[in-house]
Amino acid sequence: MPTLFDPVQLGAIAAPNRIFMAPLTRGRGTHEHVPTPLMADHYAQRASAGLIISEATGISREGLGWPYAPGLWGDEQVEAWKPVTDAIHAAGGRIVAQLWHMGRIVHSSVTGQQPVSSSATTAPGQAHTYGGKQDYEEARPLALAEIPRLIDDYRRAAANAIKAGFDGVQLHAANGYLIDQFLRDNSNFREDAYGGSIDNRIRLLDEVTRAVADVIGADRTGVRLSPNGDVQGANDSNPQALFTAAAARLSEIGIAFLEMREPQGDSSFRPNEVPPIAPAIRQVFNGPLILNSDFTPESAERTVASGLADAIAFGRPYIANPDLVDRISGGLPLASPDVATLYTQGPEGYTDYPFARETATA
């Protein structure tokens, strides 16, 4: 019976434990979306994680609408990521880059372009921009002729990730962003090969995943899905059929791992509106399965021991607990994050959270 502290193989990546760091957008890059030295300190502090999944990282100017989030489409970004990955590896860690296109969730004040999506839709709520919160704008549908260019953007970002020293990549196909907007039937109203049936709606996910796997190897390619109800306005009328079909296709490709954000129980962060789909996905996906959202150390241990998941990705607990693996193994209390500093630019609330054992001996 596996435990959180047993190693697990993710394709070409050997993880020494099953406590992973989930992707966490923290906005510590530059205005031009270039990583900073502060990010190297932050990630190196958390290198004891079995695997770090980086903060969401833009594949293109078009797709990156979050202020001060990093990208991977240019040479300057690649060079600036190298000290970050070097610091993680020097500390004994492993990291994959989460590749991100936000689709209709971007705002033109950040990108300088009208947002794009599967269809001409507008996300509910407001965008986080350099000028504060602003209403989302209507996206234009990607033309059929633009799809190859989009896939090339993913392909280039994946190659850049390997150049930058990442151990692999994770495709962000969750949380109501671009690929998820293609997957779900309340945001995808296309009448071409990328819309309508479930098989058509998973086509973009399939093609992007295969393109990335062709460049860096399927054994270094992961995917994130969120088989839940409404998220940022994206929803589906039959999520179990949709996401099991998507997971089965990813299994055929032979990706290194599938990570899923599926809230547990009565999550106050992003409640789950549908019954858990992870058990059904476990039946059709043959690779390592990682679950994320609202796990406690106790529920994580039970889930891995039951065989439902091969590892658990913790997000918010990693904000204030750089030594999360040590805290869980020692039964130590977990610190709470300072919400006011989640997206600020400095070290406060980013690299200044103490390690439990250092505090105890101070």
Side-chain angles (χ1 to χ4, degrees):
M1 189 163 57
T3 75
L4 290 174
F5 305 99
D6 290 326
V8 61
Q9 193 72 30
L10 311 168
I13 303 169
N17 64 66
R18 302 177 185 226
I19 299 170
F20 292 2
M21 180 175 168
L24 292 162
T25 294
R26 301 300 307 279
R28 260 62 175 194
T30 71
H31 190 281
E32 291 73 32
H33 305 295
V34 177
T36 60
L38 192 63
M39 292 165 58
D41 295 339
H42 171 77
Y43 281 117
Q45 289 175 346
R46 290 153 178 79
S48 61
L51 176 70
I52 295 172
I53 305 171
S54 84
E55 62 204 279
T57 302
I59 64 167
S60 63
R61 170 67 66 181
E62 170 193 84
L64 183 53
W66 191 276
Y68 303 108
L72 259 173
W73 64 82
D75 291 342
E76 184 180 7
Q77 293 162 332
V78 171
E79 291 304 311
W81 270 116
K82 288 179 179 179
V84 180
T85 59
D86 285 347
I88 294 161
H89 292 146
R94 294 135 298 277
I95 184 169
V96 296
Q98 188 187 64
L99 303 184
W100 197 27
H101 191 302
M102 297 171 67
R104 69 182 187 178
I105 305 300
V106 309
H107 195 276
S108 62
S109 67
V110 178
T111 64
Q113 305 173 39
Q114 182 182 5
V116 300
S117 185
S118 54
S119 302
T121 60
T122 304
Q126 294 186 307
H128 178 61
T129 75
Y130 291 113
K133 295 288 187 180
Q134 298 191 53
D135 290 345
Y136 285 114
E137 303 162 309
E138 181 175 277
R140 66 172 181 83
L142 278 164
L144 196 61
E146 292 181 278
I147 301 294
R149 184 268 301 166
L150 173 69
I151 294 172
D152 280 344
D153 287 344
Y154 278 100
R155 187 181 286 114
R156 180 184 66 247
N160 281 345
I162 300 303
K163 290 178 186 176
F166 285 94
D167 299 291
V169 306
Q170 182 196 64
L171 298 176
H172 198 339
N175 297 7
Y177 296 116
L178 181 68
I179 295 178
D180 206 19
Q181 292 160 27
F182 271 80
L183 289 174
R184 303 194 194 221
D185 62 11
N186 88 326
S187 54
N188 183 343
F189 306 111
R190 301 177 74 96
E191 297 179 351
D192 57 20
Y194 293 88
S197 68
I198 286 176
D199 196 54
N200 280 356
R201 283 184 278 124
I202 67 175
R203 189 182 305 277
L204 182 64
L205 171 64
D206 183 308
E207 292 180 348
V208 169
T209 305
R210 291 181 191 275
V212 168
D214 284 346
V215 171
I216 68 169
D219 60 352
R220 294 191 181 276
T221 302
V223 172
R224 171 178 257 213
L225 297 174
S226 51
N228 45 271
D230 183 286
V231 56
Q232 300 198 95
N235 208 343
D236 195 80
S237 62
N238 192 352
Q240 179 153 330
L242 169 64
F243 286 105
T244 53
R249 186 67 58 84
L250 295 171
S251 189
E252 292 174 10
I253 297 170
I255 62 173
F257 65 91
L258 173 60
E259 187 226 3
M260 300 196 310
R261 193 199 68 79
E262 187 170 59
Q264 307 298 302
D266 56 350
S267 167
S268 60
F269 182 59
R270 282 181 179 164
N272 199 0
E273 300 173 351
V274 299
I277 299 173
I281 288 178
R282 189 58 154 166
Q283 299 302 310
V284 300
F285 182 74
N286 295 326
L289 182 63
I290 304 157
L291 296 184
N292 160 255
S293 201
D294 305 300
F295 282 93
T296 64
E298 295 77 18
S299 65
E301 186 67 60
R302 289 194 303 270
T303 301
V304 168
S306 74
L308 179 58
D310 296 293
I312 303 297
F314 292 88
R316 282 162 287 153
Y318 258 115
I319 294 173
N321 301 279
D323 54 344
L324 185 63
V325 173
D326 192 30
R327 288 180 187 247
I328 292 176
S329 67
L332 303 174
L334 302 187
S336 298
D338 175 15
V339 176
T341 57
L342 287 179
Y343 305 119
T344 52
Q345 285 280 277
E348 295 79 15
Y350 190 60
T351 58
D352 60 352
Y353 286 110
F355 288 64
R357 297 194 184 279
E358 293 176 355
T359 302
T361 57

